């Protein structure tokens, strides 16, 4: 806080003392008594300033708590997102491997189609050469022969349609494999969570049984009296639960 004198004190000093004291209480007033009389405004101002400071501190503390809660929530969300990203990256790697394999198959089919086209063109050229070199002339009344260019065009169109169909089938099969892989990953995650919960429950049951066994051992005296006919200890009816097999 500032240590400069309050302006209200100087203002009060310029006013005669009789203006602040009733007529029936006129007594000699010392400088110390006069300062005490004019100090309550400064005390009130200091009190208000202190209350304002305390309120600001409380507000800052509440804001800090709020930011802490928000930070913890955001941190938990980030950890969950990182875990999901790691799982998705694995799925993405598997998908990329499948995609590369399918691309190799498509490329092999394209090369095979190119070879078939070359063989077909070569056979057509050989047939044309044989027809041109033949000296036999046969005249018959027959309908107009088909246009070889048109026939080749139709064959080329059929080959293109077959290649397009194969490509679409491969893309469909690829999408189906991706869907099945995603479902398998989801099911494996659920099974793993169930197995973890079962293991936790079994561990808690084992700890409870160990605590009960330790309590029974503490209840048995260190030097029990000798009994010629010791009682038969019944067989334990506690069944040890089997752990569920974990899926790879």
């Amino acid at each position: 806080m500032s240590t400069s004198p309050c302006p209200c004190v100087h203002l009060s000093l310029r006013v005669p003392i009789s203006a602040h004291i009733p007529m029936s209480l006129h007594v000699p007033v010392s400088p110390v008594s006069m300062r005490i009389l004019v100090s309550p405004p400064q005390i009130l101002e200091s009190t208000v300033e202190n209350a304002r400071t305390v309120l600001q501190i409380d507000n800052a503390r509440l804001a800090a708590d709020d930011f802490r809660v928000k930070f913890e929530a955001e941190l938990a969300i980030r950890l969950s997102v990182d875990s999901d990203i790691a799982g998705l990256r694995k799925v993405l790697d598997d998908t990329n491997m499948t995609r590369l394999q399918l691309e190799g198959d498509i490329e092999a089919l394209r090369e095979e189609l190119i070879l078939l086209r070359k063989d077909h063109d070569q056979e057509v050229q050989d047939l044309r050469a044989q027809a041109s070199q033949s000296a036999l002339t046969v005249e018959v009344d027959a309908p107009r022969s088909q246009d070889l260019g048109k026939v080749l065009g139709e064959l080329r169109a059929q080959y293109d349609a077959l290649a397009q169909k194969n490509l679409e089938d491969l893309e469909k099969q690829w999408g189906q494999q991706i869907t099945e892989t995603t479902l398998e990953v989801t099911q494996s995650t659920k099974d793993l969570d169930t197995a973890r919960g079962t293991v936790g429950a079994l561990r808690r049951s084992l700890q409870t049984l160990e605590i009960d066994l330790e309590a029974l051992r503490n209840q048995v005296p260190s030097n029990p009296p000798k009994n010629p006919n010791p009682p038969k200890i019944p067989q334990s009816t506690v069944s040890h639960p089997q752990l569920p097999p974990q899926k790879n």
Side-chain angles (χ1 to χ4, degrees), residues 117 120-121 128 147-161:
R117 287 179 178 176
H120 179 72
D121 293 339
R128 287 180 178 177
D147 188 3
L148 293 177
K150 183 178 180 181
V151 173
L152 291 176
E154 291 177 355
L155 291 175
R156 186 176 292 106
Q158 291 178 2
Y159 280 123
D160 292 338

Side-chain angles (χ1 to χ4, degrees), residues 2-204:
S2 177
T3 57
S4 61
C6 183
C8 60
V9 176
H10 296 285
L11 181 61
S12 299
L13 292 176
R14 296 191 185 96
V15 182
I17 300 301
S18 58
H20 299 282
I21 302 174
M23 297 298 296
S24 60
L25 298 177
H26 277 194
V27 294
V29 180
S30 63
V32 177
S33 300
M34 181 178 61
R35 181 173 296 276
I36 292 173
L37 289 175
V38 298
S39 293
Q42 185 177 5
I43 293 172
L44 179 60
E45 182 180 359
S46 301
T47 304
V48 172
E49 185 67 24
N50 290 336
R52 186 182 295 110
T53 304
V54 170
L55 181 59
Q56 292 177 355
I57 292 172
D58 293 338
N59 292 335
R61 186 179 294 108
L62 291 175
D65 294 337
D66 189 14
F67 283 125
R68 186 182 299 106
V69 171
K70 290 181 179 179
F71 174 75
E72 292 175 354
E74 292 294 335
L75 181 60
I77 294 173
R78 180 187 174 185
L79 293 176
S80 177
V81 171
D82 291 340
S83 178
D84 295 338
I85 289 174
L88 291 175
R89 283 178 179 174
K90 183 178 179 180
V91 175
L92 181 61
D93 294 337
D94 296 338
T95 305
N96 289 332
M97 294 295 294
T98 307
R99 180 177 60 82
L100 292 176
Q101 183 179 1
L102 293 175
E103 288 178 355
D105 296 339
I106 293 172
E107 189 65 25
L109 290 175
R110 288 178 178 174
E111 292 178 357
E112 183 178 0
L113 180 61
I114 292 173
L115 291 176
L116 290 175
R117 287 179 178 176
K118 289 182 178 180
D119 293 340
H120 179 72
D121 293 339
Q122 185 67 31
E123 290 177 359
V124 171
Q125 290 178 2
D126 293 339
L127 291 174
R128 287 180 178 177
Q130 291 178 3
S132 62
Q133 293 177 0
S134 177
L136 180 62
T137 304
V138 179
E139 295 181 359
V140 295
D141 295 334
R144 185 177 181 181
S145 62
Q146 296 181 354
D147 188 3
L148 293 177
K150 183 178 180 181
V151 173
L152 291 176
E154 291 177 355
L155 291 175
R156 186 176 292 106
Q158 291 178 2
Y159 280 123
D160 292 338
L162 180 61
Q164 184 67 25
K165 182 180 179 181
N166 292 333
L167 182 60
E168 291 177 355
D169 293 339
L170 288 175
E171 291 179 353
K172 184 178 179 180
Q173 183 179 2
W174 181 27
Q176 185 177 1
Q177 290 180 356
I178 292 174
T179 305
E180 292 176 355
T181 304
T182 305
L183 292 176
E184 290 178 358
V185 170
T186 304
Q187 185 63 30
S188 299
T189 304
K190 291 181 180 179
D191 294 340
L192 181 59
D193 293 338
T194 304
R196 288 178 179 173
T198 305
V199 170
L202 292 176
R203 287 179 179 174
R204 289 193 292 271

Side-chain angles (χ1 to χ4, degrees), residues 213-230:
L213 179 59
E214 188 66 23
L216 292 175
R217 288 178 178 175
N218 293 331
Q219 292 177 2
V220 175
S222 60
N223 295 321
K226 295 183 178 179
N227 190 359
N229 297 321

